[in-house]
Amino acid sequence: MNVLELSEQEIIRRNSMNELRAMGIEPYPAAEYVTNAFSTDIKAEFKDDAEPRKVSVAGRMMTRRVMGKASFIELQDSKGRIQVYITRDDICPGEDKDLYNTVFKRLLDLGDFIGIEGFVFRTQMGEISIHAQKLTVLAKSIKPLPIVKYKDGVAYDSFEDPELRYRQRYVDLVVNDGVKETFLKRATVIKTMRAVLDEAGYTEVETPILQSIAGGASARPFITHHNSLNMDLYLRIATELYLKRLIVGGFEGVYEIGKNFRNEGMDKNHNPEFTCMELYVQYKDYNWMMSFTEKLLERICIAVNGSEETTIDGKTISFKAPYRRLPILDAIKEKTGYDLNGKSEEEIRQVCKELKMEIDDTMGKGKLIDEIFGEFCEGTFIQPTFITDYPVEMSPLTKMHRSKPGLTERFELMVNGKELANAYSELNDPIDQEERFKDQLRLSEKGDDEAMFIDQDFLRALQFGMPPTSGIGIGIDRLTMLMTGKSYIQEVLFFPQMRPEKITPKDAPAKYMELGIAEDWVPVIQKAGYNTIEDMKDVNPQKLHQDICGINKKYKLELTNPSVNDVEGWIEKIKNYRIKN
């Protein structure tokens, strides 16, 4: 790497790394470092009247207070932090004191990984600590961490910029309290969900991510190309149709926890790739699935938070079963005063106009109802509520309602004003399913780019016979948001999708060389902040000369300094260049 691309701190740390090697200490040793304790366990298990416990720990050095021949550091391992007391004569029992005086005090930096062997004790201030008897260098950090400082409970130098936090999650996890806890809770959500499904006897499976037809949901897909087959493929938008094929094949219940991809908007509730759990169980209906979902979510909430309640956006939400069940058209009537039962597409379109909604001609009856519900109803359901009995136009994969003509046996679970789950009594009539797919094709021809494709192989599977089945999809990301009290989906994704980092535009060296500037000096000039020749047009020649000669000296580049007259000549050529062009 070009030395001019490094900060002053990075250069110091690289020099320290070289000094360690010169002393015969490898800053990145290959050997296993054996540990036998974690910081949190040491504190929890400490007893004042017990024999001092011997421990071997490892982690990052996060703080350091040097007091002559003795020092205190704070060591951060994978579970937490613990104070370590280090004295010169304990870690350097012989004549050679370089490990303390040179390595520990000068060549180690905050953020470096070290190993400590010693015994546990309580300091005079009452803090459970480790008295170090041996120190081992395990890994140097070349870039300095943005260490957060605390005083009287107030954080200083915080690493708070969301752009940086999401882009550099590895730093966020190290320096910001509570971030790692969020992701540990996410792991608990998935682990508990998997345990419930496994205990019920259902089989976890994997289905293709690359699909020739993007089916199972109404969404815009990502498209990629398979070179060997010379065909376009889609990243899956749902796992539904493949999981149903497995029900046809004889499985009692199957589920998959995996990534789906939708080429749609990004906001606080949406990421283009998201994690979803889909479950399908034979001989069940949507009423059974509502009861199963209540028990599942109640158990997850207890596992994560210790009770059936969670708090988000200042609201306490209870996942204790049972939840309210409300038909969608009743919900619309409740919130808008309009009864849409039995109304035609044109009548509903007129209702939308009366409600002053923005709609267009590509929207069919189902889309119009969905838009009304989304604008006037969805955000009002804070406590878990099953919205049921959707119109057939909104549910191309759902069985017709057993007693309500024109409606289907479908529910969506709304929590904190957002959809958390979507479930059906699955459509298993192959003739009806084919007609529904054709209706979706007609919507696509009208311009609806979220309408479903016709999956002929799935229709063929249904023709072999699929038993009565209920299925559900639960968004893991949104569920984790609820369980951890986070208002932004980016807070529960390790690496959310982001725009490319902004790169400062720089002129190519050839442009500088046209002015008579030697190629070796181009990086120096750009390090001084003149990334384009246009940036140099109005600069004082003496200032530019002073800046670049200072960089040459500071970074020990050993270049021959230009004269002030040389620099004046560069700037004069820039002015002539601008006039000419």
Side-chain angles (χ1 to χ4, degrees):
M1 178 178 284
N2 190 325
V3 68
L4 294 177
E5 297 176 10
L6 304 175
S7 69
E8 189 170 347
Q9 272 292 318
E10 289 175 88
I11 291 172
I12 292 171
R13 287 173 178 239
R14 283 171 180 257
N15 290 337
S16 296
M17 178 182 68
N18 293 332
E19 283 193 56
L20 285 171
R21 286 198 169 112
M23 294 175 67
I25 299 173
E26 172 53 50
Y28 303 101
E32 175 190 9
Y33 186 84
V34 179
T35 62
N36 62 13
F38 291 103
S39 56
T40 50
D41 302 329
I42 291 171
K43 293 176 182 179
E45 297 165 7
F46 179 78
K47 292 183 174 64
D48 286 294
D49 56 356
E51 188 74 19
R53 176 184 176 185
K54 292 276 190 178
V55 296
S56 176
V57 297
R60 287 185 187 269
M61 183 170 66
M62 299 301 289
T63 65
R64 175 172 51 189
R65 288 180 289 135
V66 177
M67 300 170 291
K69 297 177 184 178
S71 301
F72 284 99
I73 68 168
E74 194 172 34
L75 194 74
Q76 178 170 302
D77 62 18
S78 61
K79 291 191 176 183
R81 294 188 181 190
I82 191 165
Q83 182 173 266
V84 180
Y85 175 62
I86 300 175
T87 70
R88 185 192 68 182
D89 293 336
D90 281 325
I91 66 170
C92 305
E95 294 291 325
D96 186 355
K97 306 297 182 184
D98 281 349
L99 181 61
Y100 183 83
N101 292 335
T102 303
V103 176
F104 171 72
K105 290 174 66 175
R106 190 168 65 80
L107 300 182
L108 287 182
D109 298 285
L110 298 186
D112 288 355
F113 285 89
I114 59 174
I116 295 290
E117 293 179 43
F119 61 88
V120 185
F121 75 111
R122 189 188 295 275
T123 67
Q124 291 180 349
M125 300 299 292
E127 185 168 353
I128 298 168
S129 307
I130 300 172
H131 189 128
Q133 295 172 306
K134 186 176 179 181
L135 182 150
T136 305
V137 178
L138 297 178
K140 280 291 294 178
S141 61
I142 298 300
K143 287 185 175 291
L145 288 170
I147 300 294
V148 183
K149 303 177 184 67
Y150 294 92
K151 185 176 181 181
D152 300 327
V154 178
Y156 298 89
D157 300 326
S158 296
F159 187 66
E160 292 181 337
D161 183 349
E163 172 86 8
L164 286 175
R165 287 185 55 235
Y166 303 153
R167 199 179 294 284
Q168 299 178 23
R169 181 68 82 189
Y170 38 87
V171 176
D172 189 32
L173 287 162
V174 173
V175 304
N176 284 328
D177 290 342
V179 175
K180 191 172 186 180
E181 183 66 24
T182 295
F183 290 98
L184 290 174
K185 287 184 174 181
R186 180 187 175 107
T188 301
V189 168
I190 296 173
K191 180 171 65 176
T192 307
M193 179 177 285
R194 184 173 274 120
V196 171
L197 299 175
D198 289 347
E199 288 167 14
Y202 307 139
T203 304
E204 183 172 10
V205 298
E206 295 175 293
T207 61
I209 291 176
L210 292 176
Q211 302 182 355
S212 58
I213 293 175
S218 296
R220 185 183 299 116
F222 285 94
I223 303 174
T224 187
H225 187 77
H226 192 296
N227 290 332
S228 183
L229 296 175
N230 192 27
M231 63 182 291
D232 285 343
L233 294 171
Y234 302 95
L235 298 185
R236 71 181 179 200
I237 58 176
T239 55
E240 177 168 345
L241 301 186
Y242 279 96
L243 292 174
K244 286 182 182 177
R245 286 171 168 92
L246 298 180
I247 295 295
V248 171
F251 280 88
E252 177 199 359
V254 290
Y255 73 93
E256 182 169 6
I257 300 173
K259 293 281 190 182
N260 291 337
F261 307 85
R262 297 183 183 179
N263 196 359
E264 299 172 343
M266 294 169 56
D267 58 31
K268 62 184 287 190
N269 294 297
H270 297 88
N271 195 63
E273 61 173 295
F274 60 97
T275 305
C276 187
M277 186 285 293
E278 287 199 47
L279 165 71
Y280 295 84
V281 186
Q282 63 182 4
Y283 310 124
K284 308 297 184 186
D285 66 3
Y286 80 139
N287 292 312
W288 175 90
M289 188 61 81
M290 279 187 262
S291 298
F292 183 84
T293 302
E294 290 170 338
K295 295 169 188 171
L296 172 66
L297 296 181
E298 183 176 339
R299 181 163 161 186
I300 289 172
C301 193
I302 292 171
V304 174
N305 295 309
S307 75
E308 301 95 341
E309 293 184 346
T310 184
T311 302
I312 184 169
D313 300 330
K315 295 165 283 192
T316 299
I317 295 173
S318 173
F319 281 96
K320 185 173 178 58
Y323 308 155
R324 185 187 183 194
R325 304 181 183 192
L326 180 67
I328 186 171
L329 297 184
D330 291 357
I332 290 174
K333 184 177 179 182
E334 182 181 287
K335 302 299 181 182
T336 69
Y338 286 92
D339 187 353
L340 303 186
N341 274 294
K343 283 194 164 33
S344 66
E345 180 178 320
E346 284 309 311
E347 289 173 319
I348 295 173
R349 194 176 295 279
Q350 182 58 38
V351 168
C352 291
K353 291 177 181 176
E354 293 174 15
L355 291 171
K356 297 181 170 44
M357 293 176 59
E358 292 186 12
I359 57 173
D360 59 57
D361 294 339
T362 68
M363 296 180 179
K365 183 177 178 180
K367 189 83 168 178
L368 294 170
I369 292 172
D370 193 31
E371 289 292 312
I372 295 172
F373 180 79
E375 186 160 337
F376 295 98
C377 308
E378 184 174 297
T380 67
F381 296 106
I382 305 304
Q383 297 303 320
T385 305
F386 291 117
I387 302 299
T388 68
D389 304 345
Y390 283 68
V392 64
E393 294 85 357
M394 297 177 68
S395 313
L397 298 168
T398 312
K399 188 171 286 189
M400 295 296 292
H401 200 284
R402 67 196 75 179
S403 62
K404 298 178 182 178
L407 303 181
T408 61
E409 295 200 346
R410 172 187 176 189
F411 72 78
E412 288 187 336
L413 176 60
M414 299 292 164
V415 188
N416 196 39
K418 294 294 176 186
E419 174 198 343
L420 176 61
N422 189 17
Y424 319 142
S425 293
E426 301 294 337
L427 179 58
N428 60 342
D429 178 341
I431 309 301
D432 190 359
Q433 182 65 84
E434 185 171 10
E435 289 303 313
R436 305 270 195 99
F437 276 149
K438 288 178 179 177
D439 289 340
Q440 288 286 301
L441 182 60
R442 284 188 280 272
L443 287 174
S444 177
E445 290 168 350
K446 284 177 64 176
D448 186 346
D449 57 5
E450 293 185 354
M452 288 190 192
F453 297 87
I454 296 180
D455 188 333
Q456 294 293 347
D457 181 68
F458 175 66
L459 289 175
R460 179 169 57 194
L462 287 187
Q463 290 165 8
F464 282 98
M466 185 175 87
T469 298
S470 184
I472 188 170
I474 298 177
I476 299 296
D477 305 325
R478 287 192 183 174
L479 178 57
T480 304
M481 290 169 66
L482 289 165
M483 294 299 169
T484 59
K486 301 300 180 185
S487 302
Y488 292 84
I489 194 170
Q490 291 82 3
E491 293 289 344
V492 300
L493 301 174
F494 271 128
F495 304 105
Q497 194 65 46
M498 302 188 72
R499 297 183 186 279
E501 289 188 69
K502 292 180 181 178
I503 299 174
T504 303
K506 294 183 179 182
D507 278 344
K511 275 198 171 185
Y512 293 85
M513 294 165 68
E514 289 176 11
L515 307 175
I517 299 173
E519 186 173 5
D520 287 346
W521 278 97
V522 174
V524 181
I525 293 170
Q526 292 181 334
K527 178 70 173 179
Y530 307 100
N531 293 307
T532 66
I533 60 172
E534 186 72 14
D535 294 337
M536 297 167 61
K537 67 182 187 299
D538 297 320
V539 70
N540 182 299
Q542 290 186 338
K543 181 183 185 310
L544 177 56
H545 180 266
Q546 184 178 9
D547 289 345
I548 62 177
C549 291
I551 291 171
N552 185 27
K553 180 180 179 181
K554 178 178 178 181
Y555 289 89
K556 301 176 182 177
L557 302 177
E558 299 181 355
L559 298 175
T560 302
N561 288 331
S563 67
V564 174
N565 289 337
D566 290 333
V567 176
E568 287 176 346
W570 299 345
I571 294 172
E572 189 63 32
K573 287 181 180 178
I574 292 173
K575 292 175 180 176
N576 293 335
Y577 178 88
R578 293 175 68 214
I579 292 170
K580 186 170 66 175
N581 290 277

